[in-house]
Amino acid sequence: MTRDGGPRTTGPGRRLRRHAVRGTLSALAAVVVATPFVGAWSYDGARRAVSPQAEPPVVETDGASGGIVKAGAGAPVVLAYHDISPDPTNDYTLTPRQLDAQLAALAAAGYRSLTTAEFTRYLTTGASPAPRTVYLTFDDGTRGLWAHADRVLAKHRMHAASFLITGAVGTHRPYYLSWAEIDRMKSSGRWDFQDHTHLSHERAAVDAAGHQGSVLSNRLWLPKEKRLETENEYRLRVRGDLDESLRAFSGHRLPAPRLFAYPFSETAGPTNLAARNTSVLERLLRERFTASLTNVSSRPLPAGPRAAAARQVERLEVLRTMSTDAFVKRLNERICRSPAEIPEPMRNPEQWQFPGSPSGTGLTALTGTGAAQGTYVSAVHLPMGTADWNTYRVTATVGRLSGTGTSASIEVGHGSLHPVSVTVSEAGLRVTERPAGGTARVTTGRLTPAARHRLTLEVSPGGVRVTVDGGHAMVARATEDPDPARTSGGVSLAVRDETARTAAWPRFTALRLAP
């Protein structure tokens, strides 16, 4: 008997069993030895895989191109896409028909797409490649770019940039691109490739409570040590990720990326970095890239001198829920205009935005009956399309001023690092300068009492000359740093009524812009 109580095998049967055991062990050994090679073959196969391409859809033009502004200025609009699929499962994935309709509208309106080299040349030199241009960007590096977007680009003779998460290439197939597909896209001449981190496009715990944050812009919670990363640990981790991504570009014979797209566009999001070191990530990026791209910014940063100085460009993110008409509307808000192209902006209510005002507020709140509730209404005129204005004249007429409880304001250099606002009441004038990082400076004056005043603001990089009723004049923002990138920006308006009247608010009866 054996130790476990079973029958003892002898003679030929025992030899057969021994041979069977040896055979099983040999097979297991072969599996163990072969497993890494099978895994490597499978991984290499995924890296080398090339998906079939779909033909572009046949889409009849719907006339949307007729609504796209054909402005004379040359600053490009930057568009941010993600994935393309005929069966989208989220709002970040457009169908090929949607992409085709948008590119068709752009092409019909005379727009052409830029390469990354052309776009970065514009940012660094200010030399516009041509009027009416767009820079098409696709984040994450998904397979849909090869399978569906590439043929649509070819149909419209356009170029695009794919921002790669280099550590994800060839993984989670068929979601991400393979390196073989990237090589074919590069060879087509329709694509170039830029950076979207190596493996830092994710969220993780950033405190003991487990709250999630971008791993790129936060120190991570280390559960074993029960503490946050130190700032030096954070710096080393992020530097290592960025450099690993650059090595992946070099290792696959791709040109070094010039641009970086923030994961989740969390440039304006919360961070647990110490206030004095919130720019550590910015410094790491500036050491490696010409500029970074984001879809969310703390101030308007369209492609242009202001964005070039900040080395950060804000894009228009295109979602599946955006109709072609909505796409055209959002695009027009981004297209750079000159003061000569919009001399009477109040004739175009669609060009105004109302941040911080009651829901449903429209331009009539500043030109007619006022708002239904509250005591203050403000409006910004094309904050993206006018961000790089630095030399222009604003002339306005304000009426219905009564006492000290009502006033109207004009701000020039909106969104700049040194905006200036001019406020008039029935008998008073106040000029306020707000230099970034400095203390606001306020200058006041007395006016001849009147319910109506006429204001002229002459704006230049070095200062703003304010004239009221043709006689009272002062100069604001006389600065030692007249860099247009610091002082450029367009116009915003505001009216205030603290008298609790339901009608007859202060109003702008005229507003003109000129070069």
Side-chain angles (χ1 to χ4, degrees), residues 214-291:
S214 168
V215 303
L216 192 73
S217 54
N218 286 277
R219 291 184 292 154
L220 301 184
W221 178 255
L222 306 178
K224 291 184 179 180
E225 291 87 347
K226 298 182 179 180
R227 64 173 177 85
L228 278 175
E229 285 179 311
T230 65
E231 291 176 358
N232 189 54
E233 288 171 333
Y234 162 82
R235 185 181 294 105
L236 291 174
R237 173 174 60 80
V238 171
R239 180 186 292 127
D241 181 89
L242 296 175
D243 289 344
E244 184 64 26
S245 187
L246 295 179
R247 283 191 290 271
F249 274 83
S250 175
H252 290 89
R253 299 183 300 279
L254 292 176
R258 302 284 305 279
L259 299 173
F260 178 87
Y262 279 93
F264 313 115
S265 294
E266 288 189 344
T267 52
T271 176
N272 58 17
L273 293 172
R276 67 181 184 281
N277 282 325
T278 52
S279 63
V280 62
L281 175 58
E282 184 179 315
R283 290 197 299 271
L284 290 171
L285 294 176
R286 289 188 174 195
E287 290 168 359
R288 292 161 177 80
F289 306 101
T290 300

Side-chain angles (χ1 to χ4, degrees), residues 62-352:
D62 58 5
S65 64
I68 296 179
V69 172
K70 299 178 182 180
V77 177
V78 187
L79 302 178
Y81 295 91
H82 293 84
D83 198 8
I84 305 297
S85 170
D87 301 302
T89 58
N90 57 65
D91 290 344
Y92 295 96
T93 302
L94 272 67
T95 66
R97 293 182 67 86
Q98 285 179 298
L99 179 64
D100 187 281
Q102 293 172 6
L103 298 191
L106 287 167
Y111 281 78
R112 77 172 185 89
S113 57
L114 300 178
T115 65
T116 296
E118 290 174 315
F119 180 70
T120 54
R121 188 181 306 119
Y122 165 75
L123 282 183
T124 55
T125 67
S128 177
R132 297 197 290 278
T133 56
V134 290
Y135 179 50
L136 305 176
T137 68
F138 290 79
D139 283 358
D140 303 337
T142 61
R143 185 187 66 96
L145 306 189
W146 163 255
H148 301 289
D150 182 61
R151 302 308 303 163
V152 178
L153 287 176
K155 175 181 175 180
H156 298 290
R157 299 181 179 180
M158 290 200 175
H159 186 96
S162 171
F163 285 72
L164 300 176
I165 307 169
T166 51
V169 176
T171 70
H172 298 87
R173 294 284 294 173
Y175 184 73
Y176 289 112
L177 289 165
S178 68
W179 285 112
E181 289 166 342
I182 289 171
D183 188 57
R184 294 198 182 191
M185 291 165 69
K186 173 190 171 186
S187 298
S188 75
R190 287 184 290 275
W191 295 89
D192 59 62
F193 298 90
Q194 304 303 312
D195 207 299
H196 203 35
T197 78
H198 184 63
L199 282 174
S200 289
H201 194 298
E202 59 182 22
R203 292 186 173 93
V206 296
D207 58 27
H211 294 112
Q212 301 282 299
S214 168
V215 303
L216 192 73
S217 54
N218 286 277
R219 291 184 292 154
L220 301 184
W221 178 255
L222 306 178
K224 291 184 179 180
E225 291 87 347
K226 298 182 179 180
R227 64 173 177 85
L228 278 175
E229 285 179 311
T230 65
E231 291 176 358
N232 189 54
E233 288 171 333
Y234 162 82
R235 185 181 294 105
L236 291 174
R237 173 174 60 80
V238 171
R239 180 186 292 127
D241 181 89
L242 296 175
D243 289 344
E244 184 64 26
S245 187
L246 295 179
R247 283 191 290 271
F249 274 83
S250 175
H252 290 89
R253 299 183 300 279
L254 292 176
R258 302 284 305 279
L259 299 173
F260 178 87
Y262 279 93
F264 313 115
S265 294
E266 288 189 344
T267 52
T271 176
N272 58 17
L273 293 172
R276 67 181 184 281
N277 282 325
T278 52
S279 63
V280 62
L281 175 58
E282 184 179 315
R283 290 197 299 271
L284 290 171
L285 294 176
R286 289 188 174 195
E287 290 168 359
R288 292 161 177 80
F289 306 101
T290 300
S292 57
L293 307 185
T294 180
N295 304 337
V296 181
S297 179
S298 58
R299 63 191 182 106
L301 288 173
R306 182 197 286 186
R311 294 183 64 175
Q312 186 178 115
V313 180
E314 186 178 348
R315 304 177 292 181
L316 170 58
E317 186 173 34
V318 185
L319 302 178
R320 181 170 60 89
T321 52
M322 189 182 292
S323 67
T324 304
D325 287 342
F327 170 78
V328 170
K329 179 179 184 297
R330 296 290 306 278
L331 182 75
N332 285 342
E333 293 171 352
R334 306 274 177 136
I335 293 173
C336 182
R337 323 287 181 89
S338 71
E341 291 174 310
I342 40 178
E344 297 183 84
M346 285 190 166
R347 292 181 179 271
N348 304 287
E350 75 283 355
Q351 295 179 356
W352 295 83

Side-chain angles (χ1 to χ4, degrees), residues 2 32 44 140 143 161 219 250 266 295 310 362 371 377 421 479 484 495 509-510 512:
T2 61
V32 170
D44 191 59
D140 303 337
R143 185 187 66 96
R219 291 184 292 154
S250 175
E266 288 189 344
N295 304 337
V377 174
S421 63
T479 173
V495 292
T509 58
R512 290 191 62 86

Side-chain angles (χ1 to χ4, degrees), residues 459-476:
V459 183
S460 69
V464 179
R465 178 179 174 83
V466 181
T467 305
V468 182
D469 297 329
H472 194 108
M474 64 175 63
V475 176

